[in-house]
Amino acid sequence: MHSMLTCNARNFRLFALARNRRFCPQVPPPVLLRTASAAAGPPFFCRRSVPSPAPTAPPRRFHTSPRRSAAPAPLLWLLLKPLQKVAAMLLGRSLRKWWNALPENRRELMREWVLRRRWPLTGGVAVAVVLVALLLLTHLDETPLTGRVRLPLFSREAYLELAALTAEGYLEEFAEHLLPDSDPLHQMVDQLVQVLAERNKDIPKVSERPWSVHVVKNHQINAFVLPIGKVFVFTGMLDAVADADQLISVLGHEMAHVILDHSAEQASLSHIVDLLSLLLLTAIWAVCPTDTMALLGGWVKDKLAELMFHRPYSRKLEVEADQIGLQLAAKACADVRAGPVFWQQLEITDRLSGEPSLPEWLSTHPSHRNRTAQLDRLIPQV
């Protein structure tokens, strides 16, 4: 494998050399002599003749394939995630069938072997856990404004590449529903976003990226911001807000997600939970006597992971974005009291429409009532 990689690297260098330089004799360029004279004025250049080289055969053109960039790490993880799950299921199922095919005396011998070496095995597992814990502790990071400790697994550059691909997909999906830049609604949203960016330019993650606005003609009450600074606002959101102060509060909340790198943080948590889930899924398929019970156990495992890790963590990040978003809106001279009023309006709208609302522990976002109370507590601080 090492020799193959070395050979590929050598070939790549040759291809790069061939792309930049053609395989032909080098012709010396004409030499320019710089002369100057006090009476003649400014210096000028004259050409010195150089002997022409002997005629040669036409140079061979060396064609190379276009350069291709590697896929971002988060995208590769998303693509490999189903395959990892299938591999864990097959591994557990193979272990179960292998164990059931063993004669009873072999099983007893293996049990005795494990019992005799239980302390060395336990020590090995403990050492592995300590090493993994130390590795994770050395990669801890803090959020830029709140100082909360977190564990990012993906680099910011890789996630920005993924965000660029995501933006291209959204622009293609909403191409027929985007309002033109000359539309008054687009101009209003763009002006508010630029005010937020200008008043908060002391924050590096605000000033280091360009903020662009895309207004989508859609009745959904939705708005989101991608990590590369592309702001998407649905016209349903513009119909739901009562004034510019409420819209600034919403935009500040969405921009806070970007400033705090919440999308990369959620992907890192999902990656850690999924890796642990693979071990548990392998054990489930190895222990359960039938495939049906193993499928049921895997489904229960997925639901528990969703309710115990993903959704509570998502609600935590939403509360943090509410806090920072309120600070961004206050620095933009918006009336921050409009933020909790907006969520009260949404709560009343949901009640009047008769739509059933999920309990907060089943949702990825705090309830409208709890969100309003949280914002009311934060207003005196900002």
Side-chain angles (χ1 to χ4, degrees), residues 8-23 62-65 67:
N8 291 337
R10 188 187 307 112
N11 292 337
F12 178 81
R13 289 195 295 270
L14 290 175
F15 275 97
L17 180 63
R19 181 178 54 191
N20 298 327
R21 301 176 59 187
R22 304 183 183 262
F23 289 121
F62 199 85
H63 298 280
T64 60
S65 58
R67 181 180 299 178

Side-chain angles (χ1 to χ4, degrees), residues 80-373:
L80 293 177
K81 184 177 178 180
L83 298 179
Q84 293 173 351
K85 188 174 181 179
V86 172
M89 295 167 60
L90 294 177
L91 176 60
R93 190 171 184 269
S94 300
L95 290 175
R96 184 184 69 208
K97 289 185 172 295
W98 170 77
W99 179 259
N100 292 335
L102 286 177
E104 186 61 31
N105 59 340
R106 291 287 303 276
R107 296 184 194 174
E108 189 64 28
L109 289 175
M110 294 192 67
R111 293 191 188 99
E112 294 178 357
W113 183 88
V114 171
L115 286 176
R116 287 197 305 267
R117 293 167 175 79
R118 60 183 181 275
W119 295 118
L121 293 175
T122 303
V125 172
V127 170
V129 170
V130 170
L131 292 177
V132 172
L134 291 176
L135 178 63
L136 296 180
L137 288 175
T138 56
H139 288 75
L140 291 179
D141 188 17
E142 290 187 357
T143 53
L145 298 177
T146 59
R148 179 175 52 84
V149 178
R150 59 185 177 180
L151 178 63
L153 296 182
F154 301 113
S155 66
R156 182 170 175 269
E157 291 74 15
Y159 218 84
L160 289 178
E161 293 180 14
L162 179 60
L165 296 176
T166 306
E168 293 178 4
Y170 279 129
L171 290 176
E172 183 178 354
E173 178 183 354
F174 301 142
E176 299 179 358
H177 306 284
L178 291 176
L179 297 184
D181 296 350
S182 58
D183 191 278
L185 291 178
H186 182 279
Q187 293 179 355
M188 177 194 65
V189 177
D190 183 68
Q191 182 179 4
L192 295 180
V193 169
Q194 299 308 322
V195 168
L196 277 168
E198 177 66 23
R199 298 295 176 85
N200 293 277
K201 63 182 180 180
D202 58 310
I203 303 174
K205 293 198 174 184
V206 174
S207 58
E208 69 185 8
R209 56 170 46 88
W211 301 91
S212 58
V213 172
H214 305 277
V215 180
V216 184
K217 190 175 181 180
N218 193 299
H219 68 278
Q220 293 183 3
I221 304 177
N222 191 18
F224 58 92
V225 182
L226 297 180
I228 58 176
K230 289 190 176 296
V231 182
F232 289 84
V233 180
F234 289 14
T235 53
M237 175 63 73
L238 301 180
D239 296 335
V241 296
D243 50 33
D245 292 321
Q246 290 187 1
L247 184 56
I248 286 183
S249 298
V250 173
L251 294 174
H253 168 86
E254 299 301 332
M255 291 175 68
H257 280 304
V258 174
I259 296 171
L260 299 171
D261 292 329
H262 278 172
S263 56
E265 184 176 347
Q266 278 189 306
S268 299
L269 174 70
S270 298
H271 191 55
I272 295 174
V273 174
D274 288 341
L275 289 178
L276 296 177
S277 298
L278 290 177
L279 299 176
L280 183 59
L281 184 62
T282 303
I284 290 174
W285 276 82
V287 173
C288 291
T290 62
D291 292 346
T292 303
M293 294 185 63
L295 287 172
L296 180 60
W299 180 83
V300 172
K301 183 266 302 176
D302 291 338
K303 295 303 178 183
L304 289 177
E306 188 73 22
L307 295 176
M308 295 176 61
F309 296 101
H310 296 294
R311 299 194 180 186
Y313 203 80
S314 177
R315 293 194 296 268
K316 178 181 179 179
L317 298 183
E318 290 295 328
V319 171
E320 188 178 49
D322 282 340
Q323 176 187 352
I324 301 303
L326 207 61
Q327 295 177 10
L328 299 179
K331 292 172 67 175
C333 298
D335 188 353
V336 294
R337 296 172 297 180
V341 173
F342 170 72
W343 295 109
Q344 286 178 341
Q345 293 173 188
L346 288 186
E347 183 181 5
I348 295 174
T349 302
D350 290 344
R351 288 182 179 180
L352 293 178
S353 63
E355 295 182 0
S357 58
L358 291 174
E360 184 176 294
W361 61 278
L362 288 176
S363 176
T364 57
H365 290 63
S367 64
H368 296 331
R369 178 176 300 179
N370 290 341
R371 200 166 218 168
T372 301

